[in-house]
């Protein structure tokens, strides 16, 4: 019997790399190596689809250190999965936020590698994004571009100026009014911070790149010469010049077809959320179907349209049957109102005890308790989380009491494991969304 959690019988999808659910950290079980798999939805049959497929075929045989290698393509009637080299690292913005500004020499070295990739892509009509969020620095020294920009003449070099400024100053520059680039989920990229252009040997170059007047910006040759004067190993960059490695086309294809970045650096752990002010009492139980928005449901790879699933209980699910089992999700939210805080506390305590002692599902399947109930301080009046699997699905539950209301959030994925804490992060995030909705209850 084939494993429903494998793509093409060999690729096991482990966890999402992006919020849209189109890019996954995966494992090639045949060759025993990590890969990144990106889903590309195909347009209807016609010239656009033919062009897109042609770009993917052309990319298969080409390599470049500034982009990820395409290993394999899996096709279905309405989509394709691109099996890409797995690249781990931190974005430039994550690096400077964690470690502080880089030296001018290191910034120039990064700038040269970015420029190599941008120049090669530009020669073939592709425009890769080179912002502080999309320049990925790997532990082995590679500099990889992970984002795609809309075609805009000379825009890439201004992005490079923003990246260099951020590297040496530790913050984004004030570049004046401009279109703000956005992530795949619509979130604006790092907001510019006001301040001078900076100082040091790269200051004149950065100031020119960030000029509001395109005619005052240096061309690629001048940028390269300026960076090579500062970079300690500029000869290495010269040896990498050459024609476009069309693997960059994979990024452009994914952006056109899926509207998203196709490789996403793993985000840092979120900071604890500030306490949410809640009503002192709830006159009625809130409608659970109204506690998260359609956009929020979509972030969890769920159909935005929920359905009632019993008294005070609402359900969302993944309805894409084309996905492997371990890429399908379900969410339940239940609200239970008690007549007083004392009775709500007693009900909450009973749920906590029952969850800690439960050994089987409602359909009598045996449960494996992977994380027993654990208190979550700072969430409403009292809260706990737990994680269980019946070896067919993996479920994270978050239960909290707010005044005389008890709310249960259950987020579930197919499969018996939770690589990277995917369901846990989603359940906790949903709990915060629910608290935000409850804080607006009148």
């Amino acid at each position: 019997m084939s494993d429903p959690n494998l793509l093409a019988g060999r690729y096991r999808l482990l966890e999402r790399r992006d919020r849209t659910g189109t890019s996954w950290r995966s494992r090639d079980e045949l060759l025993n190596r990590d890969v990144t798999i990106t889903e590309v939805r195909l347009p209807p049959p016609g010239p656009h689809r033919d062009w897109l497929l042609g770009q993917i075929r052309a990319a298969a045989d080409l390599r470049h250190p500034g982009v990820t290698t395409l290993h394999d393509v899996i096709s279905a009637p309405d989509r394709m999965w691109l099996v890409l080299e797995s690249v781990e690292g931190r974005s430039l913005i994550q690096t400077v936020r964690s470690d502080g500004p880089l030296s001018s020499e290191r910034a120039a070295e990064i700038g040269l590698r970015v420029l190599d990739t941008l120049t090669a892509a530009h020669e073939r009509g592709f425009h890769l994004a080179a912002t502080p969020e999309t320049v990925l620095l790997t532990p082995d020294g590679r500099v990889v571009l992970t984002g795609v920009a809309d075609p805009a003449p000379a825009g890439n070099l201004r992005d490079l100026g923003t990246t260099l400024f951020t590297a040496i100053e530790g913050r984004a520059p004030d570049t004046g009014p401009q279109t703000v680039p956005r992530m795949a989920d619509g979130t604006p990229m790092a907001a510019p911070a006001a301040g001078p252009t900076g100082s040091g040997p790269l200051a004149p170059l950065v100031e020119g790149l960030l000029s509001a007047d395109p005619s005052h910006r240096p061309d690629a040759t001048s940028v390269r010469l300026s960076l090579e004067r500062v970079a300690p190993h500029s000869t290495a960059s010269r040896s990498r010049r050459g024609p476009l490695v069309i693997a960059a086309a994979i990024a452009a294809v994914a952006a056109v077809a899926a509207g998203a970045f196709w490789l996403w650096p793993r985000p840092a752990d979120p900071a604890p959320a500030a306490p949410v002010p809640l009503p002192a009492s709830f006159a009625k139980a809130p409608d659970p179907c109204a506690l998260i928005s359609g956009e929020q449901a979509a972030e969890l790879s769920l159909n935005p349209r929920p359905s009632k699933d019993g008294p005070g209980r609402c359900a969302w699910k993944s309805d894409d049957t084309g996905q492997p089992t371990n890429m399908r999700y379900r969410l339940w939210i239940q609200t239970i109102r008690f007549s007083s805080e004392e009775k709500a506390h007693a009900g909450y305590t009973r749920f906590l005890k029952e969850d800690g002692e439960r050994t089987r599902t409602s359909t009598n399947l045996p449960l494996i308790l992977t994380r027993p109930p654990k208190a979550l301080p700072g969430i409403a009046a009292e809260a706990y989380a737990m994680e269980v699997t019946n070896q067919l699905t993996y479920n994270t539950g978050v239960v909290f009491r707010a005044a005389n209301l008890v709310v249960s959030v259950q987020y579930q994925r197919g499969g018996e494991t939770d690589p990277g804490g995917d369901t846990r992060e989603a359940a906790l995030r949903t709990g915060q969304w629910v608290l935000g909705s409850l804080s607006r209850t009148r």
Side-chain angles (χ1 to χ4, degrees), residues 92-159:
L92 178 66
I93 192 66
Q94 289 173 331
T95 300
V96 298
R97 284 174 178 169
S98 173
D99 304 338
L102 306 181
S103 68
S104 296
E105 291 77 12
R106 174 60 175 151
E109 185 178 24
I110 292 171
L112 277 171
R113 296 191 186 186
V114 170
L115 185 61
D116 285 339
T117 304
L118 290 177
T119 301
H122 182 71
E123 289 172 356
R124 293 292 184 93
F126 296 108
H127 299 268
L128 301 178
T131 69
E133 292 82 2
T134 63
V135 173
L136 183 69
L137 308 180
T138 72
D140 62 359
R142 285 180 64 186
V143 179
V144 181
L145 301 189
T146 65
V148 179
D150 293 328
N156 288 338
L157 292 185
R158 197 178 198 213
D159 285 347

